[in-house]
Amino acid sequence: MTRYFRDFPARTGNRMLFKMEHYLEIYDELLADRQGRDLSFLEIGIYKGGSLPLWQGFLGPQSRLLFLDIDPACKALELPGTQVEIGDQADPAFLERVGAAYGPFDLIVDDGGHKMHQQITSFRHLWPRLRDRGMYIVEDVHTSYWPGFGGGFREPASFIEFAKDLIDRMHSWYTEDDVGFPLHPLAREIGGIRFYDSLVVIEKRLKEPPVALTAQNGQIGRSRRMLEVRGRRSIF
Ligand SMILES: C[S@@+](CC[C@H](N)C(=O)[O-])C[C@H]1O[C@@H](n2cnc3c(N)ncnc32)[C@H](O)[C@@H]1O
């Protein structure tokens, strides 16, 4: 397996990279099949600019790379082959503008202000701009436990509670309670959610209602009966 991310810190130039160290091994594993591919990439949060060469060196030469930050000084950190846009990740109008101008994206990384409303607003407006099979990564979700960032243990408004709620949305095909827990549109869009220490990764996978498979002697049967008997006909 590639060690691109783990080896990168020793190869940095004068731009500071600011990430938690254990993300590097996770990214080597999580993103291995994306290395060298020409993708459309978006990261929120530039700071000193060290992550521009990180992502540019990882992805293919024809990739489109967009970086956002609220700090106007970050515009000077743009590199050839990258774009920097200045704005607030909690501003829906800004997100809609950059999403329309630069999307759709294959990979989105939120390493911005890490406050709850910022992470949630960005997800709400950028998730629709993520391509099928794309990944949406939110870094530093430990701020969900910090009151100064709008978090707290089991704080309903925290991003981690929002992400746990996405688990329910993803499974909303299967409920027997059409009133209390109706089908949510994200059931058709979320393929998986990974929780790592301080990272949440939401994978987009456009789906039809799930099918139960039987196979014996090469004969394949497919059925959605387990959904139908639970009164979920409305989803078909
Ligand atoms: C942790 S640093 C980014 C580090 C960088 N991604 C790296 O890997 O080296 C966070 C950045 O988010 C920016 N930021 C804070 N609040 C923001 C907001 N509301 N919208 C956009 N960017 C924001 C800050 O200006 C800062 O540059």
Side-chain angles (χ1 to χ4, degrees), residues 18-19 43 45-47 51 69-70 87-89 111-113 118:
F18 185 35
K19 297 236 178 270
E43 183 173 35
I46 296 172
Y47 190 44
S51 66
D69 205 289
I70 200 167
D88 184 349
Q89 71 170 122
D111 186 23
Q118 294 168 337

Side-chain angles (χ1 to χ4, degrees), residues 16-19 43-52 54-55 67-71 74 87-91 94 109 111-114 117-118 139-140:
M16 188 200 294
L17 175 71
F18 185 35
K19 297 236 178 270
E43 183 173 35
I44 304 169
I46 296 172
Y47 190 44
K48 303 293 182 187
S51 66
L52 278 74
L54 172 81
W55 292 107
F67 295 84
L68 310 180
D69 205 289
I70 200 167
D71 180 357
C74 290
D88 184 349
Q89 71 170 122
D91 174 4
F94 172 65
V109 178
D111 186 23
H114 307 309
H117 71 288
Q118 294 168 337
E139 293 188 350
D140 295 0

Side-chain angles (χ1 to χ4, degrees), residues 20-236:
M20 297 198 68
E21 186 168 21
H22 70 273
Y23 296 171
L24 304 177
E25 181 179 8
I26 294 168
Y27 284 166
D28 278 326
E29 293 171 9
L30 183 71
L31 302 174
D33 68 342
R34 286 161 166 86
Q35 186 168 12
R37 283 175 53 196
D38 292 327
L39 300 179
S40 180
F41 173 86
L42 165 63
E43 183 173 35
I44 304 169
I46 296 172
Y47 190 44
K48 303 293 182 187
S51 66
L52 278 74
L54 172 81
W55 292 107
Q56 192 172 35
F58 180 71
L59 297 171
Q62 304 303 318
S63 294
R64 295 168 57 224
L65 295 103
L66 172 66
F67 295 84
L68 310 180
D69 205 289
I70 200 167
D71 180 357
C74 290
K75 183 67 182 168
L77 296 169
E78 203 169 62
L79 288 172
T82 70
Q83 303 276 340
V84 167
E85 290 277 354
I86 302 303
D88 184 349
Q89 71 170 122
D91 174 4
F94 172 65
L95 297 169
E96 289 301 325
R97 183 175 72 71
V98 295
Y102 296 96
F105 305 102
D106 299 293
L107 194 52
I108 298 176
V109 178
D110 180 351
D111 186 23
H114 307 309
K115 292 194 172 146
M116 305 303 105
H117 71 288
Q118 294 168 337
Q119 292 169 330
I120 293 170
T121 304
S122 293
F123 178 83
R124 287 210 164 107
H125 289 272
L126 293 174
W127 173 258
R129 305 288 184 183
L130 188 68
R131 280 206 181 98
D132 189 21
R133 308 275 159 164
M135 271 188 197
Y136 193 106
I137 300 173
V138 186
E139 293 188 350
D140 295 0
V141 297
H142 48 256
T143 58
S144 277
Y145 303 101
W146 294 352
F149 284 70
F153 180 56
R154 301 271 162 89
E155 163 56 50
S158 74
F159 183 80
I160 211 87
E161 293 300 317
F162 176 83
K164 290 182 201 172
D165 190 60
L166 294 179
I167 299 172
D168 295 332
R169 306 286 160 233
M170 177 173 70
H171 288 110
S172 61
W173 305 112
Y174 303 99
T175 168
E176 297 186 353
D177 178 4
D178 245 334
V179 178
F181 183 26
L183 178 73
H184 192 278
L186 286 174
R188 294 185 188 275
E189 298 180 3
I190 297 179
I193 305 170
R194 304 183 195 219
F195 288 80
Y196 297 92
D197 184 327
S198 297
L199 287 177
V200 173
V201 181
I202 305 125
E203 300 175 2
K204 189 172 250 190
R205 194 170 287 224
L206 300 182
K207 300 177 290 180
E208 293 300 315
V211 166
L213 177 88
T214 53
Q216 189 172 28
N217 297 323
Q219 297 298 307
I220 296 173
R222 294 185 176 86
S223 163
R224 292 194 171 111
R225 189 167 155 67
M226 73 180 211
L227 299 180
E228 289 167 1
V229 297
R230 288 177 173 78
R232 307 300 282 167
R233 289 173 190 278
S234 58
I235 68 183
F236 300 117

